[in-house]
Amino acid sequence: MSLQSLLAKLPFGPWRKAGPLVSVVRLTGVIGQGGPFRSGLSLAGVAPLLERAFAPKDQKAVALIINSPGGSPVQSALIAKRIRDLAEEKKVPVFAFCEDAAASGGYWLACAADEIWADESSIVGSIGVVSSGFGLHALIERHGIERRLYTAGDKKVLLDPFSPEREDGVAHLKALQADVHEAFKAMVRTRRGTRLTGSEEELFSGAFWAGRKALALGLIDGLGDLRSVMRGRFGEKVRLRVVQQERGMLRRLGLRAGYGNAPALEAGAHEAFADALVAAARKSLDDWAAWAKLGL
């Protein structure tokens, strides 16, 4: 046996023979642009993580840990496409591991993987589109509030929550939902193919299931967790390299560690922090007013 072979057996040092590498990316939270105090999954935020995850040469796979109830159909599609583009470019298989939920847009992300795994109690599916809101016209009338609204274009305010519901507005929204639903269904059919065993009426009804039922329907490939499945696939010496954000939220808001446990504002960041608070308040009002926001 050569000296190099002997050194490779040692459990320390640069000569130690490393085990197979798997990069791990967490995709957690609602899909869509977040605010200053509310994180969200978007392509802009996730793309750098994905680039780093697929960068190492000779790695065995990339694993996605998914815990999302869904959100924006556009961001779901963009993130999933970037995963597939990188997987095909780097010739690396992708595994998805569903935690509490891979529902709606979260399942769209899972479909970007070559194999999908889940826990027995994971919530999987919800292949549908939803839009909700409130009708407030009667409320403002009751309190003597006059609604003044001026538009150029008779369909500009089809879904205004402060006006009575319009039949043409509802029909337009349902047609839009149908288009988005078709794109979602096409993604699932393309990625899962013959592994789907349930009927389309059941699978695409918007229903969701726990792990075992999802497995029986062909929505996932097996029950298991990241460490166990990766060790079973690539051996007990597999190395799980977790790819994380380089900067935290406090840093992005201009906050840094101060004395003791108290945060300190970096020079010039007081105004930015105040602006962030105002933006968060405005965002909350916008979310309330945008009652017909489309989502998965």
Side-chain angles (χ1 to χ4, degrees):
M1 182 178 292
S2 66
L3 177 61
Q4 184 177 4
S5 298
L6 288 172
L7 291 175
K9 292 182 177 294
L10 295 177
F12 55 83
W15 45 75
R16 176 175 58 88
K17 186 176 181 180
L21 176 66
V22 174
S23 293
V24 181
V25 178
R26 281 191 170 273
L27 300 176
T28 302
V30 175
I31 302 169
Q33 294 289 350
F37 300 101
R38 181 183 59 185
S39 62
L41 289 172
S42 67
L43 179 62
V46 170
L49 297 179
L50 296 175
E51 294 287 346
R52 288 164 50 201
F54 282 92
K57 296 181 179 179
D58 301 323
Q59 67 177 338
K60 294 297 184 181
V62 169
L64 310 173
I65 299 179
I66 297 174
N67 197 347
S68 174
S72 164
V74 174
Q75 293 301 319
S76 300
L78 290 175
I79 295 171
K81 184 179 186 302
R82 183 62 56 88
I83 293 169
R84 290 313 314 156
D85 288 347
L86 289 169
E88 293 168 11
E89 176 186 335
K90 303 294 185 178
K91 309 299 182 187
V92 175
V94 180
F95 294 80
F97 294 89
C98 310
E99 291 193 334
D100 299 276
S104 207
Y107 184 69
W108 193 319
L109 298 184
C111 284
D114 299 293
E115 293 184 24
I116 304 175
W117 295 74
D119 184 82
E120 289 186 357
S121 300
S122 298
I123 298 301
V124 178
S126 189
I127 305 170
V129 184
V130 64
S131 180
S132 63
F134 300 93
L136 303 175
H137 63 285
L139 176 66
I140 64 175
E141 288 177 3
R142 185 179 307 122
H143 290 276
I145 300 172
E146 181 184 358
R147 174 70 163 154
R148 295 175 179 176
L149 186 64
Y150 311 99
T151 69
D154 64 332
K155 291 183 169 56
K156 185 63 177 177
V157 288
L158 281 178
L159 301 173
D160 175 38
F162 298 102
S163 301
E165 188 174 66
R166 292 171 50 172
E167 290 185 6
D168 57 340
V170 175
H172 183 78
L173 177 60
K174 287 184 176 294
L176 185 62
Q177 288 178 318
D179 289 342
V180 176
H181 197 195
E182 283 302 319
F184 196 173
K185 292 189 287 186
M187 173 64 171
V188 176
R189 292 189 192 105
T190 299
R191 296 299 304 155
R192 298 303 296 169
T194 57
R195 287 176 287 186
L196 295 173
T197 57
S199 67
E200 291 205 347
E201 289 75 15
E202 181 178 22
L203 292 173
F204 302 146
S205 66
F208 50 87
W209 303 272
R212 288 197 176 278
K213 181 62 175 178
L215 177 61
L217 292 171
L219 294 173
I220 65 175
D221 296 286
L223 300 174
D225 63 279
L226 170 68
R227 185 171 181 271
S228 299
V229 174
M230 292 296 93
R231 286 185 123 199
R233 189 65 58 91
F234 302 114
E236 293 188 358
K237 293 185 178 181
V238 65
R239 294 175 294 145
L240 301 177
R241 167 181 169 263
V242 180
V243 180
Q244 298 177 329
Q245 292 281 3
E246 293 181 346
R247 299 196 305 171
M249 187 179 82
L250 293 179
R251 186 75 175 179
R252 292 195 297 274
L253 287 173
L255 291 169
R256 57 179 173 82
Y259 294 103
N261 294 323
L265 281 172
E266 292 180 350
H270 296 79
E271 294 82 359
F273 185 60
D275 289 344
L277 290 174
V278 174
R282 287 177 176 171
K283 178 65 175 172
S284 296
L285 290 173
D286 290 342
D287 287 346
W288 177 77
W291 71 287
K293 189 183 222 179
L294 195 67
L296 294 175

